[in-house]
Amino acid sequence: MASGEWPVDADRAHLIASGKDADVFLRADGLLVKRSRAGAPAEPEAELLRYLGRFDVPVPRVVRAEGSELVMDYVAGPTMAAELSAHPWRAAGLGRALARLHRQLDRVPAPPWLRRLGEGRRGGDRLLHLDLHPGNVLLGPAGPVVVDWANAARGERGVDVALSWLVLAAARLRPRHRPARWTLLHTFLARFDRAAVRAALPAAAEVRLSSPDRDPAERASVARLLERMGERVAG
Ligand SMILES: Nc1ncnc2c1ncn2[C@@H]1O[C@H](COP(=O)(O)OP(=O)(O)O)[C@@H](O)[C@H]1O
Ligand SMILES: [Mg+2]
């Protein structure tokens, strides 16, 4: 280990994002380091990223994983969420892009070693990201790239699509950003079987609410959406 190179040296790396679970630094050599604040091991996410790269899923290339730090290529570009706020007129195109990413996941066999969602619950053995919302999509120079695979599991693909819808629908946005959100969601949903997405929403809500970090406002918002989902998703 060269001194100052590892672990992240705060003088030579700068914090570019603090996500829900991790701090993300850009290193002086241009590589990106994601470090779990809870000290969770980085290797499982690294292994999945390497696997997905072999199936041409657009994910960052892993350089290495050591302890709770994952070193990978930096994707130069805004998140889809930032792009939606900055350029709301692109909402429909972003909704199509998010739907295309799900189509790509449809084609990937789930790695057999991935945990299974809701053991004992009804079927599904497909690859699920489980957090594929616009904050976890980077719009890089070669197209959209999906990050944050730490919660991935095997299960029914409909649950993954329903989660994308639910997370963005429940996000608390400033009023001026809300029309673009609904345009994105409408365009997204038009590319799937609405009845199937609707049927998967309760399971998606269960996944979303199973995390202890959901704040009361988000819980209330998810509950309201579930009640009204008939109208929104059927609409
Ligand atoms: N390879 C990458 N290149 C550029 N930015 C990244 C990369 N990986 C993560 N980020 C940025 O860091 C944020 C947090 O990373 P993420 O993997 O989503 O962790 P968390 O679980 O904390 O949400 C992302 O939303 C994105 O803005
Ligand atoms: Mg994230």
Side-chain angles (χ1 to χ4, degrees):
M1 183 190 300
S3 80
E5 181 204 337
W6 197 267
V8 170
D9 177 342
D11 293 337
R12 298 180 44 197
H14 70 269
L15 186 69
I16 59 164
S18 218
K20 58 183 178 359
D21 302 319
D23 293 324
V24 172
F25 300 87
L26 184 58
R27 241 165 46 169
D29 60 5
L31 292 173
L32 182 125
V33 182
K34 173 177 171 177
R35 182 168 61 198
S36 157
R37 279 191 296 275
E43 182 50 36
E45 185 173 1
E47 187 181 13
L48 183 56
L49 288 171
R50 291 187 206 103
Y51 174 92
L52 294 168
R54 290 200 288 276
F55 285 92
D56 294 327
V57 178
V59 294
R61 185 185 64 93
V62 171
V63 176
R64 63 173 165 167
E66 195 174 290
S68 58
E69 297 192 341
L70 174 55
V71 184
M72 56 186 144
D73 280 347
Y74 170 66
V75 180
T79 64
M80 184 182 277
E83 185 62 13
L84 183 67
S85 310
H87 303 127
W89 55 89
R90 292 199 55 206
L94 297 175
R96 285 191 292 273
L98 191 60
R100 273 196 302 274
L101 291 171
H102 274 287
R103 294 283 178 232
Q104 279 184 281
L105 300 196
D106 284 345
R107 294 193 286 268
V108 178
W113 37 262
L114 203 58
R115 79 181 168 102
R116 206 185 202 109
L117 180 67
E119 203 69 64
R121 247 205 287 133
R122 94 200 131 88
D125 198 23
R126 309 303 314 280
L127 173 68
L128 313 182
H129 180 286
L130 292 179
D131 213 8
L132 185 41
H133 57 70
N136 283 331
V137 177
L138 294 161
L139 303 175
V145 176
V146 183
V147 299
D148 207 358
W149 287 87
N151 298 318
R154 285 182 296 151
E156 243 184 289
R157 290 285 312 136
V159 176
D160 216 22
V161 174
L163 262 162
S164 285
W165 186 87
L166 186 67
V167 173
L168 184 56
R172 273 174 304 151
L173 303 182
R174 291 176 200 284
R176 71 169 191 278
H177 293 139
R178 291 178 194 160
R181 178 237 314 258
W182 292 115
T183 301
L184 189 160
L185 285 177
H186 180 81
T187 319
F188 174 74
L189 199 57
R191 276 146 185 85
F192 298 95
D193 172 356
R194 280 172 186 242
V197 175
R198 194 150 107 207
L201 272 175
E206 196 182 315
V207 171
R208 190 69 186 162
L209 296 180
S210 67
S211 161
D213 2 291
R214 306 276 82 92
D215 61 39
E218 187 181 352
R219 287 176 188 279
S221 171
V222 167
R224 255 195 327 273
L225 282 164
L226 269 184
E227 268 173 37
R228 283 172 29 210
M229 76 184 168
E231 300 147 42
R232 279 284 186 195
V233 177

